[in-house]
């Protein structure tokens, strides 16, 4: 069983930065697609960013393009989300997810992901 543990969330003022980490255990995910999703209270979980397992192709939702960067360190079996120029609208619980069988492409669909972390809270104040 794969376990994903997010960390790095916290409280930050608008315009600030945070780096989220997602540490995976249970198996090596170097060839798996990895994604970040977020969910605000009372709202549905939405796609944020994803990275492929082979060529490290990335994809972002429009609202975070040019501000967020997803990356991975396969030696550490860890995925990161660097978040810059944070806005109050970015406030949410951020979840890491693994698409274990997708090696060459990325997906934005929650149903395609096989494992999920517990989430880390990101709060951006005005």
């Amino acid at each position: 069983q794969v376990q994903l543990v997010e960390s790095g969330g916290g409280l930050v003022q608008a315009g600030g930065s945070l780096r989220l980490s997602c540490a995976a255990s249970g198996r090596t995910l170097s060839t798996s697609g990895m994604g970040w999703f977020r969910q605000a209270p009372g709202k549905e979980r939405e796609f944020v960013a994803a990275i492929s397992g082979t060529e490290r192709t990335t994809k972002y939702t429009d609202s975070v393009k040019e501000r967020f960067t997803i990356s991975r360190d396969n030696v550490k079996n860890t995925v990161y989300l660097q978040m810059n120029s944070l806005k109050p609208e970015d406030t949410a619980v951020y979840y890491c997810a693994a698409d274990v069988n997708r090696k060459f492409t990325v997906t934005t669909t929650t149903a395609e992901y096989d494992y999920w972390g517990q989430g880390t809270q990101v709060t951006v104040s005005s």
Side-chain angles (χ1 to χ4, degrees), residues 49-112:
I51 185 168
S52 70
T54 56
E55 298 181 347
R56 298 186 179 184
T57 301
T58 59
K59 189 171 185 177
Y60 302 90
T61 191
D62 288 343
S63 63
V64 307
K65 287 181 178 178
E66 309 300 328
R67 298 191 298 120
F68 291 9
T69 302
I70 187 171
S71 62
R72 66 194 303 162
D73 185 336
N74 288 337
V75 175
K76 296 181 178 179
N77 213 25
T78 300
V79 180
Y80 305 95
L81 184 67
Q82 178 66 46
M83 305 185 294
N84 299 325
S85 301
L86 283 163
K87 304 175 180 179
E89 307 93 270
D90 296 317
T91 296
V93 176
Y94 283 70
Y95 297 90
C96 177
D99 185 4
V100 296
N101 296 314
R102 191 177 298 274
K103 300 181 180 180
F104 308 108
T105 58
V106 295
T107 182
T108 64
T109 304
T110 58
E112 294 294 327

Side-chain angles (χ1 to χ4, degrees), residues 6 8-12 18 20 36-48 63-64 68 81 83 86-96 118-125:
E6 303 96 335
L11 175 64
V12 64
L18 286 173
L20 306 183
W36 286 96
F37 294 76
R38 65 187 181 187
Q39 186 168 22
K43 297 184 178 181
E44 295 184 347
R45 191 167 301 185
E46 66 172 340
F47 169 78
V48 177
S63 63
V64 307
F68 291 9
L81 184 67
M83 305 185 294
L86 283 163
K87 304 175 180 179
E89 307 93 270
D90 296 317
T91 296
V93 176
Y94 283 70
Y95 297 90
C96 177
Q118 299 181 72
T120 185
Q121 177 70 48
V122 172
T123 302
V124 184
S125 62

